Amino acid sequence: AQSVTQLDSHVSVSEGTPVLLRCNYSSSYSPSLFWYVQHPNKGLQLLLKYTSAATLVKGINGFEAEFKKSETSFHLTKPSAHMSDAAEYFCVVIKYSGNTPLVFGKGTRLSVIA
Amino acid sequence: ETGVTQTPRHLVMGMTNKKSLKCEQHLGHNAMYWYKQSAKKPLELMFVYNFKEQTENNSVPSRFSPECPNSSHLFLHLHTLQPEDSALYLCASSQDPSGSNQPQHFGDGTRLSIL
């Protein structure tokens, strides 16, 4: 069975400092993984996706994530936080059985302090 | 512009009312989804439609009734709702639901409040 665990429910960083949002996955297959972002009163927007090509994936807004099979991790990073990055972030894995293709983590709320 | 439009954005209704949520996608996708997002809980998949046919119903109470007249439109009909049904209802679409690395595209949701 496929699942994801987001290790922090809330992360707080200062503007201009690095961001690290942690995600571990469990999958019986070679996984496909996504990160989504949700700003207040908005839907989910795709940040980036990993589909067994390059292990370092670059996304929008300066975010990137690295797939590490040995650690079963897919952590999201950004070198320098901006105030506009404050949002909820979801790590997602594709589930290959049935017709419910996405399994969502519980989310990490990122706060950026001026 | 997300390509997935949901209306209304906000809805307040009493427990005896009947209302409908609407979703329209302009992306040429074949699959559409309803999700429920409650505070402090993970995103819950409610319904999946593939080529207008319902392929998944995640044990959703019958007071929620989906309708998919074509691949571009999806409705969620609501009746006799309970206070615990207050949540953000998100619609999404994808090229196909088979999990072939296809991301889903989400609308901005309808914030539903039950009085």
Side-chain angles (χ1 to χ4, degrees), chain B residues 40-77:
Chain B
K40 310 294 184 185
K41 294 175 73 173
L43 206 62
E44 302 172 54
L45 179 67
M46 300 174 72
F47 300 104
V48 179
Y49 277 83
N50 182 23
F51 291 97
K52 304 186 300 178
E53 299 297 321
Q54 187 180 127
T55 57
E56 194 81 14
N57 174 341
N58 266 3
S59 304
V60 179
S62 59
R63 57 185 184 269
F64 295 92
S65 175
E67 178 189 1
C68 188
N70 54 62
S71 295
S72 300
H73 294 85
L74 184 65
F75 296 89
L76 188 62
H77 303 300

Side-chain angles (χ1 to χ4, degrees), chain A residues 14-41:
Chain A
S14 297
E15 190 176 21
T17 64
V19 175
L20 170 64
L21 304 182
R22 298 183 295 165
C23 174
N24 287 112
Y25 70 89
S26 173
S27 178
S28 305
Y29 307 92
S30 180
S32 291
L33 295 154
F34 306 139
W35 275 99
Y36 280 86
V37 61
Q38 184 179 29
H39 288 92
N41 300 314

Side-chain angles (χ1 to χ4, degrees), chain A residues 32 34 36 38 41-46 49-51 88 90 94-96 98-102 104-106, chain B residues 9 33 35 37 42-43 45 48 55-56 58 88 90 97-108 111:
Chain A
S32 291
F34 306 139
Y36 280 86
Q38 184 179 29
N41 300 314
K42 291 288 189 179
L44 280 68
Q45 181 185 16
L46 181 67
K49 65 177 182 178
Y50 167 77
T51 55
E88 189 90 16
F90 294 93
I94 281 187
K95 175 183 167 186
Y96 286 99
N99 287 302
T100 54
L102 299 187
F104 286 81
K106 292 184 178 181
Chain B
R9 291 295 314 279
Y33 312 80
Y35 287 88
Q37 187 176 35
L43 206 62
L45 179 67
V48 179
T55 57
E56 194 81 14
N58 266 3
L88 181 67
L90 292 165
S98 64
S100 57
N101 306 329
Q102 295 300 316
Q104 293 178 9
H105 297 257
F106 286 80
D108 285 339
R111 174 71 61 187

